[in-house]
Amino acid sequence: MKREEAKRRIQQLREEILRRNYEYFVLDQSQVSEAVRDSLKKELIALETEFPEFITPDSPTRRVGSVLSGKFPKVKHKSRKWSLSDVFSMEELKDWEERVLKAVGKCQFVTELKLDGLNITLWYEKGLLVKALTRGDGTVGEDVTHTVRTIKNVPLRLFEEVDLEVSGEVILSKKAFGNMEGFANARNAAAGTVRQLDPSVTAERDLEMYCYHLGEHSPQASSQKKKLSLQSDILERFKKLGLPVNKEYEVHESAADSIHYLEKWAEWREKLPYEIDGVVFKVNEKNKQELMGFTAKSPRYAVAYKFPAQQTTTVVEGITVQIGRTGAATPVAELRPVLVAGSTVSRATLHNEDEIKRKDVRVGDTVIIQKAGDVIPEVVEVLPALRPAHSKAFEFPRDCPSCGSPLSRIDFEAVRRCTNMECPGRQRESFLHFVSRGALDVDTLGEKVVDGLLEFGFIKDPADFFTLTKEQLLELPLFKEKKAQNVLDSIDSRRTVPLERFLYGLGIRFVGEQVAKLLSQCLQEQSTDSNPSPKLILKLLKNSTREDLETIEGFGERIAESIIQWIQVPYNQKLLEKFETVGLKLLWPPQKKIITGLAGKTFVITGTLSRPREEFKTLIENAGGHVSGSVSKKTDYILAGEEAGGKLDKAKELGLKVIGETEFFQLL
Ligand code: IVH
């Protein structure tokens, strides 16, 4: 980046961060998450490192700790409130463990959940709650005794008359947060709820507190018999005194064991009733903790492993329009690559013309992007304060970027579509769909190979996959004998496929995997043939009327209409005939056995099996069983493959029946 440009960007970022911090810390009404503020700060730090001449003393990067709002009386903490240093990868975690082992030798580790809430310190005098403070800047906090007193699991009186200072996290459950509006996440909502002037507002919302750190205390606070020499002793002592402790903490004899805890909670965090943003690792022995000491901000004996952020900020470098297999034109933001939730993202969907207008996303804009589970990353919103001068609103193209034919907007749909059946953009996507996982599942035919085949003109429709020759494949870049043979073998293994997979692979609008399944059952009922063929399917579909299709349970007008329209297109009719010519064989869906050993049984599938999980799921469902994603007491069988992880452990814990593939097929 040029100097002048960097200077301007630094100024913009600084103002935006200060404004967002003010919203969050002072007004308690931030609409963006911590991950977003962190991401902006990271960009600012990087620019200030490259151009140190632009650092000013008031830059938000110069501040340690948080702002005090001035709404509540300030109170000096009895002992310094440390924060934790963060690690974001296994590597960094292992580095930390090595440092620990080097400094103190073999030791125990306590792992705790990193609760995503607000850090609060409680003072008890002679067993009575006398003060509750926010962390503030670590030295001085704000007095929020009036609201914290209303939190139901915070004892107003301990079981013993001791003096102590204890810190913990105040959190709001996912359920309680679900009933609230105006906050970006549960953590902000918890903070906003504690930092209320009126305690009756706090009392109405279901806050909870969990204690994890002992500060100053009278000798009586550590039980007379035993000195509190371990973090785990402290947690147990808290419980005896009546203080709430999160029950998921664990003690491990070695670092290797404690990593297991991390893996478990990375997988199970969704199922917790409250949010966590990571896992905390602490050396258990207090004397060893003391040996390690502190850095300027945090203890060396503990770290927080933070789960990858689901939201972050980046810059839109371009906006392109992609043509999908149904012709839908989807605007896509081409992004400066960033790490979100553990993977690098360089593109995010902008959905459609109306969305892009509503959000007013422009080239050059700084945007918040998010990724949730397996879904495609999306642009959440623009940060207008960071917009470059002279930017222009995006104009949606009138013509298809792939074939040049006009994009039309049909009826009240939000999307524009290319209606040219032979549009190369559409074809590429439909070919990829045909070989995708839920359809024919040819894993050797990825994007690069399909692009190569298209470029050389070896495939003009999906039936051409079945006539590919080794000579053709060897012409593609990077193809050698072995790779070509692999592709041919995997195509060969798909010359006979279940009808439902084939129907789904055709890419008829609104015919997803479930609809394809229903349609294949309905076609089977209409036929007496022992095996279907592409030609038979053509005949059956041609003879179906809208009314016939609408009688299928689960089908509406929209689906029926789409299938009827599809089969009327001459191109599609010819395609089915061509599948017949190239020798594709189809299979009817397996007959549902009404009463089998699996009727009403619940399965959980875990680990790597010899075929895709989807196939096992189908087998189970066809035999009257049901597949669930999570292990519980209600699970009848765990079907476990290789490298099964947390689910298998939980199953064993619950004493459930665990079976392998061989036993599974015997059950069937
Ligand atoms: S220990 C001296 N344990 O994470 C150690 N902190 O930056 C003090 N947090 O400010 C913190 N869960 O608000 C600790 N099990 C846990 C925690 C936890 C959440 C928060 C706490 C702290 C921040 C660390």
Side-chain angles (χ1 to χ4, degrees):
M1 198 181 273
K2 288 202 207 83
R3 234 177 134 256
E4 273 316 295
E5 208 182 317
K7 185 174 172 192
R8 195 178 122 83
R9 182 77 180 165
I10 285 174
Q11 270 168 355
Q12 277 185 326
L13 282 166
R14 217 170 260 168
E15 274 160 35
E16 179 72 357
I17 295 167
L18 287 174
R19 192 169 68 82
R20 296 289 178 179
N21 278 353
Y22 173 75
E23 268 178 20
Y24 176 64
F25 291 112
V26 181
L27 304 180
D28 281 331
Q29 51 173 237
S30 170
Q31 297 289 339
V32 301
S33 63
E34 191 192 10
V36 167
R37 283 184 285 119
D38 275 356
S39 162
L40 295 175
K41 202 162 153 189
K42 225 158 120 191
E43 187 185 345
L44 180 58
I45 291 171
L47 283 175
E48 286 184 345
T49 315
E50 201 181 334
F51 301 94
E53 64 270 35
F54 298 135
I55 299 179
T56 57
D58 65 343
S59 169
T61 59
R62 303 295 105 187
R63 183 202 299 277
V64 189
S66 69
V67 191
L68 296 164
S69 69
K71 252 195 332 199
F72 307 99
K74 295 184 185 71
V75 177
K76 194 166 180 310
H77 282 293
K78 286 182 194 277
S79 60
R80 167 84 190 263
K81 297 299 142 225
W82 302 98
S83 53
L84 294 171
S85 50
D86 296 330
V87 296
F88 296 95
S89 67
M90 275 306 201
E91 254 169 43
E92 285 179 285
L93 183 64
K94 286 195 175 126
D95 287 348
W96 172 75
E97 284 166 1
E98 258 169 44
R99 288 200 298 277
V100 172
L101 295 179
K102 215 163 156 188
V104 300
K106 190 173 159 34
C107 65
Q108 291 185 336
F109 291 89
V110 176
T111 49
E112 297 167 12
L113 299 181
K114 186 165 187 306
L115 303 163
D116 201 9
L118 177 70
N119 185 287
I120 291 289
T121 297
L122 308 172
W123 293 359
Y124 286 91
E125 280 173 16
K126 295 209 163 32
L128 292 180
L129 175 67
V130 294
K131 214 162 260 326
L133 303 177
T134 64
R135 179 173 176 277
D137 62 4
T139 311
V140 175
E142 287 174 325
D143 189 336
V144 286
T145 317
H146 63 298
T147 54
V148 172
R149 285 178 69 88
T150 69
I151 300 175
K152 293 185 193 74
N153 73 347
V154 172
L156 299 179
R157 176 198 289 275
L158 299 177
F159 293 141
E160 293 173 37
E161 290 183 6
V162 292
D163 294 345
L164 65 84
E165 183 199 11
V166 55
S167 305
E169 204 79 357
V170 169
I171 57 167
L172 195 65
S173 70
K174 290 176 187 167
K175 190 166 158 221
F177 171 63
N179 298 328
M180 284 171 70
E181 277 174 24
F183 292 100
N185 52 44
R187 173 205 169 91
N188 289 4
T193 307
V194 169
R195 299 164 88 237
Q196 286 282 330
L197 289 170
D198 179 0
S200 64
V201 176
T202 321
E204 276 170 21
R205 301 180 187 163
D206 269 332
L207 290 170
E208 295 162 77
M209 177 159 177
Y210 291 106
C211 298
Y212 44 68
H213 185 77
L214 176 64
E216 274 193 7
H217 58 279
S218 59
Q220 292 84 356
S222 17
S223 65
Q224 282 92 345
K225 281 183 222 137
K226 198 172 144 196
K227 251 188 90 57
L228 299 180
S229 57
L230 302 172
Q231 164 71 3
S232 51
D233 289 344
I234 293 173
L235 295 176
E236 290 307 310
R237 177 73 179 135
F238 281 167
K239 286 200 226 165
K240 291 238 163 65
L241 289 169
L243 288 164
V245 172
N246 187 278
K247 68 177 174 27
E248 310 297 353
Y249 85 86
E250 282 178 20
V251 180
H252 310 271
E253 290 305 321
S254 74
D257 289 356
S258 60
I259 287 177
H260 188 72
Y261 182 86
L262 170 65
E263 287 167 351
K264 175 167 103 182
W265 288 108
E267 190 180 331
W268 288 2
R269 64 188 286 211
E270 308 292 334
K271 306 211 166 59
L272 283 168
Y274 42 79
E275 301 282 354
I276 59 171
D277 60 340
V279 163
V280 183
F281 290 74
K282 298 176 182 170
V283 168
N284 199 15
E285 296 89 346
K286 292 300 273 181
N287 58 348
K288 296 196 172 171
Q289 288 188 355
E290 274 153 31
L291 272 180
M292 293 204 67
F294 297 83
T295 69
K297 281 171 69 178
S298 49
R300 289 202 185 85
Y301 60 77
V303 282
Y305 177 99
K306 294 274 280 271
F307 294 134
Q310 310 283 339
Q311 272 197 352
T312 190
T313 62
T314 187
V315 174
V316 178
E317 293 183 329
I319 297 174
T320 53
V321 171
Q322 222 186 9
I323 302 297
R325 65 185 158 83
T326 58
T330 309
V332 175
E334 306 288 342
L335 306 168
R336 180 186 295 165
V338 273
L339 205 63
V340 202
S343 60
T344 303
V345 167
S346 54
R347 313 182 82 201
T349 177
L350 292 162
H351 299 292
N352 55 51
E353 190 179 2
D354 294 346
E355 274 290 291
I356 210 171
K357 247 191 216 144
R358 193 175 63 76
K359 292 179 181 157
D360 189 18
V361 183
R362 306 179 182 193
V363 175
D365 272 348
T366 302
V367 289
I368 299 176
I369 61 164
Q370 80 178 7
K371 210 170 84 178
D374 291 338
V375 291
I376 309 167
E378 61 170 355
V379 171
V380 183
E381 64 176 275
V382 173
L383 298 173
L386 298 177
R387 174 166 281 170
H390 316 299
S391 76
K392 276 200 232 88
F394 177 71
E395 269 204 49
F396 208 88
R398 300 287 121 185
D399 299 331
C400 170
S402 178
C403 69
S405 49
L407 293 174
S408 50
R409 220 171 143 156
I410 305 160
D411 300 335
F412 299 107
E413 276 197 333
V415 279
R416 274 183 191 279
R417 288 177 194 281
C418 170
T419 48
N420 171 14
M421 289 301 290
E422 279 156 62
C423 164
R426 281 184 72 164
Q427 286 190 333
R428 173 185 190 267
E429 296 307 311
S430 60
F431 295 173
L432 285 170
H433 174 72
F434 184 72
V435 294
S436 70
R437 241 177 154 194
L440 263 69
D441 191 20
V442 190
D443 59 357
T444 53
L445 291 173
E447 286 195 33
K448 277 202 188 118
V449 181
V450 171
D451 282 341
L453 293 170
L454 280 166
E455 207 176 298
F456 279 77
F458 295 154
I459 44 172
K460 299 223 161 41
D461 60 49
D464 287 337
F465 284 122
F466 293 102
T467 56
L468 284 174
T469 63
K470 193 180 273 178
E471 290 67 39
Q472 286 178 322
L473 289 169
L474 286 172
E475 279 187 49
L476 302 185
L478 299 177
F479 260 78
K480 296 236 166 61
E481 177 70 26
K482 186 159 172 237
K483 193 167 171 187
Q485 193 56 49
N486 279 346
V487 171
L488 290 178
D489 288 347
S490 59
I491 292 172
D492 275 344
S493 71
R494 295 291 185 261
R495 286 189 193 273
T496 304
V497 288
L499 174 61
E500 63 207 59
R501 282 181 172 265
F502 176 69
L503 289 174
Y504 170 66
L506 291 174
I508 306 169
R509 260 185 93 199
F510 306 127
V511 181
E513 288 177 76
Q514 200 49 37
V515 171
K517 210 182 247 179
L518 295 172
L519 181 59
S520 65
Q521 283 160 6
C522 160
L523 294 176
Q524 180 179 24
E525 280 161 24
Q526 291 172 30
S527 157
T528 48
D529 294 62
S530 60
N531 270 318
S533 66
K535 220 169 164 183
L536 176 70
I537 300 307
L538 172 64
K539 191 178 106 197
L540 292 173
L541 285 179
K542 262 167 89 178
N543 291 341
S544 303
T545 63
R546 204 163 279 130
E547 291 70 37
D548 290 341
L549 293 173
E550 275 178 33
T551 56
I552 304 177
E553 214 187 302
F555 275 36
E557 225 174 279
R558 212 176 54 147
I559 298 174
E561 178 65 32
S562 171
I563 297 170
I564 296 290
Q565 273 189 13
W566 189 88
I567 199 63
Q568 280 164 3
V569 176
Y571 173 92
N572 295 331
Q573 297 183 7
K574 283 206 196 91
L575 182 63
L576 287 176
E577 279 165 10
K578 189 162 166 189
F579 275 120
E580 181 82 24
T581 322
V582 300
L584 181 71
K585 300 262 181 313
L586 302 171
L587 297 169
W588 288 126
Q591 284 292 335
K592 269 204 178 152
K593 295 182 207 155
I594 303 302
I595 301 165
T596 76
L598 302 195
K601 297 279 187 231
T602 299
F603 281 75
V604 168
I605 310 179
T606 181
T608 316
L609 298 161
S610 65
R611 327 181 198 178
R613 273 190 197 180
E614 272 310 304
E615 287 189 20
F616 284 97
K617 190 169 175 227
T618 312
L619 288 170
I620 293 167
E621 284 172 357
N622 287 339
H626 161 79
V627 176
S628 158
S630 60
V631 180
S632 76
K633 274 188 229 144
K634 290 189 190 134
T635 313
D636 294 295
Y637 295 101
I638 308 287
L639 172 55
E642 270 168 42
E643 286 170 38
K647 285 184 187 161
L648 183 59
D649 296 338
K650 183 159 183 207
K652 284 183 181 155
E653 226 169 79
L654 293 174
L656 302 175
K657 180 130 184 75
V658 179
I659 56 171
E661 281 189 39
T662 330
E663 279 167 284
F664 172 74
F665 284 109
Q666 280 163 3
L667 270 183
L668 277 183

